Amino acid sequence: MAGQIAAVVAKLMVDANIRPDVVVALVVGIPGVIGLALVGFSGRRWVTAMGAFILAMAPGWLSVLLLVQVMAGD
């Protein structure tokens, strides 16, 4: 749910034409790298939980991205 809210807010704030393959790579890649780094190198439980939360945001972002693409007819 948090990923979907973040994606909608980001879509409302950014109004630029970007290639879809670059957007998918950013939407899945950035939270994936940050989340895996936090989970892998964490020394505390709350950092691990934050890494898991960031990792869980990527599917929500991707679902909103696909929904926006379908509704826009692109």
Side-chain angles (χ1 to χ4, degrees):
M1 185 68 153
Q4 292 173 337
I5 293 170
V8 170
V9 170
K11 175 63 179 156
L12 292 174
M13 292 177 60
V14 176
D15 191 32
N17 290 332
I18 304 172
R19 290 185 10 209
D21 56 338
V22 173
V23 173
V24 170
L26 291 174
V27 162
V28 175
I30 290 175
V33 169
I34 292 172
L36 285 174
L38 285 174
V39 169
F41 300 116
S42 64
R44 299 180 182 260
R45 282 188 284 181
W46 68 269
V47 178
T48 305
M50 186 169 53
F53 176 76
I54 292 172
L55 260 170
M57 285 179 61
W61 282 14
L62 187 61
S63 67
V64 171
L65 172 69
L66 294 175
L67 179 66
V68 168
Q69 290 292 321
V70 167
M71 296 305 289
D74 292 340

